[in-house]
Amino acid sequence: ERVMQLFGLINSLLMSDPDTSRSDLAIVRYCVSPLSHNSQNAGLIEWVPNCDTMHELIAAYRSMNNLSVSMELSIMSGMFERHEELCKLQKVE
Protein backbone atom coordinates (compact mmCIF):
# COMPACT_ATOMS: atom_id res chain seq x y z
CA GLU A 1 0.00 0.00 0.00
CA ARG A 2 2.85 2.40 0.72
CA VAL A 3 4.21 1.82 -2.75
CA MET A 4 0.81 2.77 -4.16
CA GLN A 5 0.88 5.98 -2.10
CA LEU A 6 4.36 6.73 -3.39
CA PHE A 7 3.23 6.16 -6.98
CA GLY A 8 0.26 8.48 -6.36
CA LEU A 9 2.60 11.18 -5.07
CA ILE A 10 4.88 10.75 -8.09
CA ASN A 11 1.89 11.01 -10.41
CA SER A 12 0.79 14.22 -8.67
CA LEU A 13 4.26 15.67 -9.11
CA LEU A 14 4.35 14.63 -12.76
CA MET A 15 0.97 16.30 -13.38
CA SER A 16 2.02 19.52 -11.63
CA ASP A 17 5.07 20.01 -13.89
CA PRO A 18 4.13 21.58 -17.26
CA ASP A 19 6.64 19.54 -19.30
CA THR A 20 5.70 16.14 -17.90
CA SER A 21 2.02 17.04 -17.85
CA ARG A 22 2.08 17.73 -21.61
CA SER A 23 3.84 14.41 -22.17
CA ASP A 24 1.07 12.65 -20.22
CA LEU A 25 3.58 10.77 -18.08
CA ALA A 26 2.18 8.69 -15.23
CA ILE A 27 2.71 5.46 -13.37
CA VAL A 28 -0.14 3.06 -14.03
CA ARG A 29 -1.34 1.51 -10.77
CA TYR A 30 -3.29 -1.72 -10.42
CA CYS A 31 -5.10 -3.18 -7.44
CA VAL A 32 -4.15 -6.69 -6.38
CA SER A 33 -6.36 -9.02 -4.34
CA PRO A 34 -4.38 -11.65 -2.42
CA LEU A 35 -5.50 -15.25 -2.88
CA SER A 36 -3.95 -16.60 0.30
CA HIS A 37 -3.00 -15.48 3.79
CA ASN A 38 0.57 -15.10 2.53
CA SER A 39 0.00 -12.38 -0.06
CA GLN A 40 3.47 -12.91 -1.53
CA ASN A 41 2.41 -16.26 -3.01
CA ALA A 42 -0.44 -15.36 -5.34
CA GLY A 43 -2.95 -12.66 -6.12
CA LEU A 44 -5.33 -11.38 -8.76
CA ILE A 45 -4.32 -8.20 -10.52
CA GLU A 46 -7.03 -5.74 -11.48
CA TRP A 47 -8.06 -6.55 -15.01
CA VAL A 48 -11.62 -5.32 -15.43
CA PRO A 49 -11.66 -1.55 -16.04
CA ASN A 50 -13.94 0.74 -14.02
CA CYS A 51 -14.75 -1.84 -11.34
CA ASP A 52 -14.71 -1.32 -7.60
CA THR A 53 -12.18 -3.16 -5.47
CA MET A 54 -13.20 -5.19 -2.43
CA HIS A 55 -11.63 -2.49 -0.25
CA GLU A 56 -13.78 0.21 -1.89
CA LEU A 57 -16.94 -1.88 -1.49
CA ILE A 58 -16.23 -2.62 2.18
CA ALA A 59 -15.33 1.01 2.89
CA ALA A 60 -18.55 2.19 1.23
CA TYR A 61 -20.61 -0.36 3.21
CA ARG A 62 -18.99 0.75 6.46
CA SER A 63 -19.63 4.39 5.63
CA MET A 64 -23.29 3.84 4.68
CA ASN A 65 -23.96 1.84 7.85
CA ASN A 66 -21.80 3.93 10.22
CA LEU A 67 -19.64 0.91 11.06
CA SER A 68 -16.13 1.20 12.35
CA VAL A 69 -13.35 -1.34 12.08
CA SER A 70 -13.25 -1.56 15.87
CA MET A 71 -16.97 -2.45 15.92
CA GLU A 72 -16.38 -5.22 13.38
CA LEU A 73 -13.45 -6.48 15.45
CA SER A 74 -15.64 -6.55 18.54
CA ILE A 75 -18.31 -8.57 16.72
CA MET A 76 -15.68 -10.95 15.37
CA SER A 77 -14.21 -11.37 18.86
CA GLY A 78 -17.63 -12.41 20.14
CA MET A 79 -18.00 -14.99 17.37
CA PHE A 80 -14.52 -16.50 17.62
CA GLU A 81 -12.36 -16.06 20.70
CA ARG A 82 -9.05 -16.72 18.92
CA HIS A 83 -9.75 -14.46 15.94
CA GLU A 84 -6.21 -13.06 15.99
CA GLU A 85 -4.98 -16.48 14.85
CA LEU A 86 -7.02 -16.32 11.64
CA CYS A 87 -5.39 -15.31 8.36
CA LYS A 88 -6.71 -12.22 6.58
CA LEU A 89 -8.83 -14.21 4.16
CA GLN A 90 -10.49 -16.11 7.02
CA LYS A 91 -11.20 -12.82 8.81
CA VAL A 92 -12.86 -11.40 5.70
CA GLU A 93 -15.01 -14.51 5.32
Side-chain angles (χ1 to χ4, degrees), residues 20-55:
T20 56
S21 181
R22 277 193 299 271
S23 300
D24 199 27
L25 295 176
I27 298 173
V28 178
R29 299 180 294 171
Y30 297 97
C31 294
V32 176
S33 298
L35 293 177
S36 69
H37 67 279
N38 184 352
S39 60
Q40 294 177 358
N41 287 341
L44 294 175
I45 191 165
E46 171 187 21
W47 58 279
V48 179
N50 302 319
C51 288
D52 293 329
T53 63
M54 286 298 291
H55 181 269

Side-chain angles (χ1 to χ4, degrees), residues 52-72:
D52 293 329
T53 63
M54 286 298 291
H55 181 269
E56 291 170 337
L57 294 172
I58 292 169
Y61 178 83
R62 286 177 178 154
S63 177
M64 286 188 314
N65 294 291
N66 293 326
L67 294 173
S68 66
V69 175
S70 60
M71 185 183 297
E72 289 180 359

Side-chain angles (χ1 to χ4, degrees), residues 68-79:
S68 66
V69 175
S70 60
M71 185 183 297
E72 289 180 359
L73 185 60
S74 174
I75 292 169
M76 188 169 39
S77 297
M79 295 172 70

